[in-house]
């Protein structure tokens, strides 16, 4: 019997600064995909809306507050992950409160989409670079 596909919903943010650069964070040692540069975000927990999950993740990971009205869904991509399939939904935001701090990541970096091609990124994040470049 074929195992049912198991989708893992993940949300992430492209935080865009006044110069059109986007915040990436480096996944820490000891976690899956360690060392790779990702759009900040994480899993949508059962019962959570994607927007609520993203607001929670951005507070937990970066200590910033993003008003829900400032989250614009922009693009999605998917990638196999172990025996599951990760579905990554990317939101663009240009407005938040607080200065991003790396509470969970090993480093933060502001990067133009055109320069992201040179960075190692998780498989679901990589296809979003071109879309982001076209949108910003
Ligand atoms: N993930 C990803 N790209 C992101 C954020 C997360 O591929 N921008 C993946 C990494 C993990 C899973 O989603 O496999 C859950 O993330 P976390 O470990 O941060 O909760």
């Amino acid at each position: 019997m074929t195992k049912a596909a198991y989708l893992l919903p993940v949300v992430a943010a492209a935080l865009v600064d006044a110069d059109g650069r986007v915040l990436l964070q480096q996944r820490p040692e000891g976690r899956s995909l360690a060392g790779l540069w990702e759009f900040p975000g994480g899993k949508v927990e059962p019962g959570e809306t994607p927007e609520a999950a993203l607001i929670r993740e951005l507070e937990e990971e970066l200590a910033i507050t993003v008003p829900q009205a400032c989250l614009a869904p922009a693009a999605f991509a998917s990638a196999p992950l172990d025996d599951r399939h990760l579905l990554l939904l990317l939101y663009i935001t240009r407005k938040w409160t607080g200065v991003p701090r790396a509470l969970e990541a090993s480093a933060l970096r502001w990067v133009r989409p055109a320069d992201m091609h040179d960075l190692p990124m998780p498989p679901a994040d990589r296809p979003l670079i071109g879309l982001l470049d076209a949108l910003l």
Side-chain angles (χ1 to χ4, degrees):
M1 203 169 80
T2 325
K3 201 176 161 201
Y6 175 25
L7 276 184
L8 179 71
V10 174
V11 283
L15 296 166
V16 186
D17 75 1
D19 299 323
R21 296 175 309 169
V22 174
L23 188 69
L24 294 181
Q25 64 179 11
Q26 189 173 36
R27 295 185 61 84
E29 291 307 317
R31 296 273 290 275
S32 61
L33 308 170
L36 302 189
W37 292 87
E38 67 176 11
F39 299 106
K43 288 180 206 135
V44 181
E45 301 294 346
E48 247 183 346
T49 64
E51 291 82 8
L54 186 52
I55 291 167
R56 175 183 53 72
E57 289 283 352
L58 293 172
E59 273 171 3
E60 288 171 6
E61 295 182 345
L62 300 172
I64 60 167
T65 305
V66 183
Q68 179 155 340
C70 296
L71 286 174
F76 70 91
S78 70
L81 179 76
D82 305 324
D83 59 343
R84 294 170 296 175
H85 208 86
L86 190 150
L87 181 65
L88 179 63
L89 180 57
L90 184 75
Y91 289 76
I92 292 181
T93 184
R94 296 175 186 270
K95 215 169 176 181
W96 58 87
T97 308
V99 178
R101 286 189 289 138
L103 299 185
E104 294 184 5
S106 51
L108 300 180
R109 224 168 130 169
W110 292 94
V111 188
R112 287 180 203 292
D115 297 330
M116 290 180 187
H117 299 283
D118 299 331
L119 289 175
M121 291 179 78
D125 294 54
R126 182 157 289 286
L128 298 171
I129 300 172
L131 295 165
L132 201 53
D133 204 8
L135 286 169
L136 297 185

